[in-house]
């Protein structure tokens, strides 16, 4: 995949939220900013433009001048801390943005594409310049030209930048560019997180972030094990067994307790649960 740096814009007054700390608002137990940082975890470096706060991973902090100077001023402050040939630019209020959207933007703007970048369009066909990848050289050039022409970048609209760049459009998924500008948006995002089809994945991701675990979890495997333990032994055996499997995997040598260790420990525990269940039919 094309190497890139990321800039996340986490400033702004959040007037429609009554001045609340929008990047710190939680959806599915995770701060909006942390959810965005997870989507660009493979960036070479990540710059967050806004007030410092705890984050799920290390970032470089920057502030626009003056504070509250708007997205172009924030972008100008952030780009000074990047060095990659491509720059991913995101707002900090995208609860459903995923790595797949980032990969699509990088692919559309990569070497040989003949464009200055790629930006998402929402379901209504509107451009989303804060869900975009820009080639660093034309981005820096146009920011410098705008600053020279207007005496700075503060207060300037983003369209002054995007109109000067050759950009291709990448249709976003149904929710990839969904942003949270109002309390109604926050409520809608929190409700969507709890929908049946996504709640388990969202919960597992939140737990991993909270515990500092970087591990692909086979939820189907663990749920099957929990079922076997609950039905073959006793209902409380399900959570206790899965805990012990995790503990055993963490202690495993060689692969350091990775997915293979989890699978092996789960296999052994499931076999034990089935043997236990078989004994209920013994004379």
């Amino acid at each position: 995949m094309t190497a890139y740096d990321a800039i996340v814009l986490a400033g702004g007054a959040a007037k429609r939220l009554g001045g609340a700390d929008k990047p710190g608002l939680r959806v599915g137990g995770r701060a909006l900013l942390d959810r965005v940082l997870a989507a660009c975890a493979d960036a070479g470096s990540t710059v967050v433009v806004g007030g410092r706060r705890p984050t799920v991973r290390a970032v470089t902090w920057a502030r626009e001048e003056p504070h509250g100077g708007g997205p172009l001023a924030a972008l100008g402050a952030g780009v000074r801390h990047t060095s990659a040939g491509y720059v991913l630019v995101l707002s900090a209020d995208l609860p459903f943005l995923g790595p797949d959207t980032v990969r699509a933007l990088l692919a559309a703007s990569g070497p040989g594409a003949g464009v200055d970048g790629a930006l998402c369009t929402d379901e209504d066909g509107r451009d989303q310049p804060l869900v975009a990848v820009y080639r660093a050289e034309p981005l820096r050039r146009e920011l410098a030209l705008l600053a020279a022409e207007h005496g700075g970048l503060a207060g300037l609209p983003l369209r002054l930048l995007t109109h000067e760049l050759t950009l291709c459009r990448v249709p976003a998924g149904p929710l990839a560019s969904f942003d949270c500008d109002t309390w109604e948006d926050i409520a809608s995002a929190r409700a969507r997180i709890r929908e049946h089809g996504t709640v388990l994945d969202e919960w597992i991701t939140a737990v991993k972030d909270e515990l500092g675990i970087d591990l692909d979890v086979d939820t189907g495997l663990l749920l099957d094990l929990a079922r076997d333990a609950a039905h073959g032994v006793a209902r409380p055996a399900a959570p206790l067994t899965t805990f012990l499997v995790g503990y055993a995997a963490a202690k495993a040598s060689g692969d350091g307790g990775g997915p293979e260790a989890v699978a092996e420990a789960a296999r052994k525990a499931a076999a034990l649960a089935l043997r236990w269940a078989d004994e209920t039919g013994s004379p």
Side-chain angles (χ1 to χ4, degrees):
M1 188 171 66
T2 304
Y4 71 99
D5 290 335
I7 300 174
V8 181
L9 306 189
K15 293 179 180 179
R16 297 170 68 185
L17 287 165
D21 175 24
K22 182 162 66 169
L25 293 177
R26 296 186 179 276
V27 172
R30 294 191 289 159
L32 285 172
L33 175 57
D34 283 338
R35 297 182 72 89
V36 172
L37 292 176
C40 57
D42 54 1
S45 65
T46 301
V47 184
V48 178
V49 185
R52 289 175 177 264
R53 68 194 72 230
T55 53
V56 71
R57 64 181 179 86
V59 300
T60 299
W61 295 96
R63 288 306 300 259
E64 73 276 22
E65 292 295 339
H67 293 182
L72 270 187
L75 188 52
V79 78
R80 290 195 289 270
H81 298 274
T82 64
S83 58
Y86 290 83
V87 180
L88 172 71
V89 178
L90 302 170
S91 60
D93 60 349
L94 301 164
F96 303 110
L97 181 73
D100 54 339
T101 300
V102 174
R103 288 192 292 267
L105 288 168
L106 288 167
S109 58
V115 294
D116 296 326
L119 50 75
C120 272
T121 56
D122 63 19
E123 290 185 295
D124 296 322
R126 292 172 298 201
D127 288 349
Q128 302 295 319
L130 297 184
V131 189
V133 168
Y134 301 95
R135 285 180 50 228
E137 188 277 325
L139 175 64
R140 294 175 187 275
R141 180 192 69 232
E142 293 304 328
L143 286 172
L145 289 172
L146 286 171
E149 181 180 353
H150 296 275
L153 296 173
L156 299 181
L158 269 170
R159 65 176 180 272
L160 293 181
L161 172 69
T162 56
H163 284 177
E164 296 300 323
L165 298 173
T166 302
L167 303 172
C168 68
R169 271 66 182 171
V170 176
L175 295 174
S177 61
F178 178 92
D179 56 0
C180 293
D181 290 327
T182 67
W183 287 114
E184 290 77 10
D185 293 336
I186 294 291
S188 176
R190 288 171 172 170
R192 287 179 180 273
I193 288 296
R194 288 164 172 76
E195 291 179 353
H196 177 70
T198 57
V199 66
L200 276 182
D201 287 341
E202 288 287 350
W203 172 247
I204 292 298
T205 300
V207 171
K208 289 194 297 183
D209 283 352
E210 193 72 15
L211 301 181
I213 298 171
D214 184 13
L215 175 69
D216 289 332
V217 178
D218 187 338
T219 55
L221 179 75
L222 294 179
L223 289 174
D224 287 345
L225 169 61
R227 179 202 61 208
D228 292 340
H231 292 173
V233 184
R235 189 171 298 275
L240 295 174
T241 303
T242 52
F243 164 78
L244 292 172
V245 163
Y247 183 80
K251 291 188 66 178
S253 59
D255 62 9
E260 296 82 3
V262 174
E264 177 62 14
R267 184 193 63 78
K268 291 180 178 179
L272 174 62
L274 292 175
R275 294 199 304 271
W276 188 292
D278 285 345
E279 293 180 8
T280 60
S282 300

